[in-house]
Amino acid sequence: MSQDSPKTPKNVREIRINPVLPSESVLVATARGMRPRKEEERLERKTEAHVERCPFCTGNEDKTPPTIAAWPNEQDWDVRVVENLYPVLGEEPPDSNLVFGLQQVIVGYGRHEVIIDHSNHGISMYEMSREHLVTLLLAYRERMIALYEADKRIRYVLVFKNFGPAAGASIPHTHSQVIAMPVVPENVLNEVQYARLHHDKHHQCIYCSLINEALTFEATIYDRDSGEIRRKINVGQYIIDRGEKFIAIKPFASRYEWEVHILPLQHEADFTNIHEEDLEDLARILKRTMARLDAVIGGAQYNFFLHSLPHGEEYADGAPSYHWHLEICPRTSIPTGFELGSGLFVSTISPEDAAAQLRAVQLDD
């Protein structure tokens, strides 16, 4: 993998089309970084291991709904799952859908659970041991499987994490969430549909192709008239980290300035099928990626989402074309009216420069 600095112009102003979702575009405008703008506040980390009044801390289990699952056990837990006290979806009767004219209502049935990531109140994800992250990732997989099996009406189970108030976190104790729903979210549905169209046309998974390009592709683009180099794409310039089974990549059309995606190197559509022996390498890449982000933009609030193939007969043929992945999206700026009104994300740092900064972080392991 070449580690040469990419030949990216100093001032970039270009609209990049997301290769997975062509309807989604990103405006990279590095000169905009010089203007005054409102940034999301960096969080001052509270590193206490235990907070007496926190409902997620050990000893306060009676302040939450009953334990649904726990690892290694309910009495001496490292990871604990409970029902969300304020669920966005609930176990409603299945026959109360409504249709009146063009208006359709699907009853909000489903499940909403909280995964308490760690018994340590103030620990960050990059500070967790690799062994603990394996347990947490295993909890993600097991809850997804359980929720799909418990109700055949469920079409999608979303695992996600909010860190910081701007990212939607209302409790500072580190936790993730799982929501099982009767519909497939639009962004996931679009990924599935575009991936299927690409596979039908090219007979290849588009995510696998993007991984192959990141690992092998290089190009030099010259100005037709002067012969000067306009852009040089180096092998590996979008790669943040790589393990034996997983890879962390900076998207070419990143919606968020420090967005990173983690994908399995070999094709796999459904996270629920991940082998337990592969979780250690995934935990290693996740830990290293979060450590890189903290080193470069420490204190940033963030969301991450696990996108996996939906369940149901209508998605059974999606396995060859879809590729599960984890999207990590740090929230470093507040969306502007232009972004909200146009749907066009604006990035003031080029993905190439962001990737180079993240890749340059020196890690012990």
Side-chain angles (χ1 to χ4, degrees):
M1 182 189 306
S2 172
Q3 295 299 321
D4 295 337
S5 299
K7 301 292 184 180
T8 304
K10 179 176 289 187
N11 291 323
V12 178
R13 186 181 291 110
E14 57 193 22
I15 296 175
R16 298 190 177 187
I17 308 302
N18 184 335
V20 177
L21 296 176
S23 60
E24 183 180 274
S25 304
V26 174
L27 173 58
V28 180
T30 56
R32 294 282 288 176
M34 303 299 293
R35 70 180 177 89
R37 65 172 184 161
K38 179 67 174 175
E39 295 188 344
E40 295 288 8
E41 294 182 3
R42 297 294 194 267
L43 290 182
E44 292 187 15
R45 282 194 52 214
K46 298 185 183 299
T47 57
E48 303 98 319
H50 186 274
V51 173
E52 191 63 34
R53 299 181 63 182
C54 173
F56 290 172
C57 281
T58 53
N60 295 339
E61 288 81 2
D62 61 336
K63 296 180 180 178
T64 69
T67 300
I68 295 172
W71 288 264
N73 57 67
E74 187 172 345
Q75 287 69 41
D76 188 25
W77 60 270
D78 293 323
V79 175
R80 180 171 174 252
V81 183
V82 299
E83 186 178 354
N84 193 300
L85 199 57
Y86 306 101
V88 297
L89 296 173
E91 296 176 328
E92 306 291 342
D95 57 352
S96 54
N97 292 351
L98 300 173
V99 177
F100 42 101
L102 296 177
Q103 318 302 322
Q104 181 180 5
V105 174
I106 299 175
V107 68
Y109 67 83
R111 262 315 260 196
H112 189 173
E113 299 177 353
V114 174
I115 297 179
I116 304 171
D117 297 340
H118 203 289
S119 58
N120 186 311
H121 178 90
I123 194 170
S124 292
M125 184 156 275
Y126 73 91
E127 294 173 322
M128 297 178 190
S129 70
R130 195 184 304 176
E131 293 74 19
H132 184 89
L133 286 173
V134 168
T135 301
L136 179 59
L137 292 166
L138 179 65
Y140 290 172
R141 187 193 72 174
E142 294 305 295
R143 290 318 299 159
M144 289 177 67
I145 292 173
L147 290 167
Y148 276 126
E149 291 181 347
D151 191 338
K152 297 307 178 185
R153 299 172 297 169
I154 296 301
R155 287 293 172 265
Y156 197 74
V157 178
L158 176 68
V159 174
F160 63 99
K161 180 177 177 65
N162 304 329
F163 178 77
S170 56
I171 295 179
H173 190 123
T174 179
H175 65 283
S176 309
Q177 298 183 62
V178 187
I179 296 182
M181 59 195 85
V183 296
V184 180
E186 183 182 11
N187 55 350
V188 177
L189 183 61
N190 287 339
E191 287 179 354
V192 171
Q193 291 175 340
Y194 278 116
R196 183 183 284 144
L197 288 173
H198 181 90
H199 191 272
D200 289 345
K201 184 176 181 179
H202 301 284
H203 309 290
Q204 292 179 337
C205 163
I206 189 169
Y207 296 92
C208 290
S209 297
L210 288 171
I211 292 171
N212 289 337
E213 284 189 2
L215 291 170
T216 64
F217 184 77
E218 63 181 5
T220 303
I221 302 172
Y222 297 91
D223 183 270
R224 181 175 178 177
D225 297 323
S226 68
E228 294 181 356
I229 294 176
R230 292 182 56 193
R231 182 74 58 83
K232 184 175 176 59
I233 299 173
N234 293 323
V235 172
Q237 75 178 47
Y238 295 107
I239 297 174
I240 307 302
D241 213 323
R242 178 186 175 180
E244 293 182 7
K245 302 289 184 69
F246 296 91
I247 190 168
I249 293 179
K250 186 83 180 73
F252 169 77
S254 297
R255 300 160 298 174
Y256 300 92
E257 294 175 334
W258 300 96
E259 180 177 1
V260 179
H261 293 185
I262 297 178
L263 307 91
L265 282 163
Q266 299 301 317
H267 183 78
E268 182 59 69
D270 192 341
F271 180 77
T272 64
N273 294 329
I274 189 171
H275 296 296
E276 207 159 321
E277 58 268 25
D278 292 342
L279 291 175
E280 184 173 352
D281 192 59
L282 176 56
R284 176 179 177 271
I285 295 300
L286 176 58
K287 179 180 172 71
R288 287 171 61 87
T289 300
M290 299 306 291
R292 291 181 187 280
L293 287 167
D294 183 77
V296 177
I297 52 166
Q301 304 179 66
Y302 67 86
N303 305 97
F304 73 52
F305 330 95
L306 182 59
H307 282 184
S308 183
L309 184 69
H311 282 211
E313 292 182 3
E314 62 268 45
Y315 303 106
D317 65 345
S321 58
Y322 194 68
H323 200 118
W324 75 258
H325 54 281
L326 182 70
E327 302 183 8
I328 305 170
C329 302
R331 308 290 289 269
T332 53
S333 64
I334 296 174
T336 65
F338 171 75
E339 290 172 289
L340 295 173
S342 68
L344 190 67
F345 290 85
V346 178
S347 178
T348 60
I349 181 172
S350 74
E352 295 78 18
D353 289 343
Q357 290 186 49
L358 292 171
R359 193 168 50 245
V361 174
Q362 298 296 312
L363 300 175
D364 295 333
D365 177 27

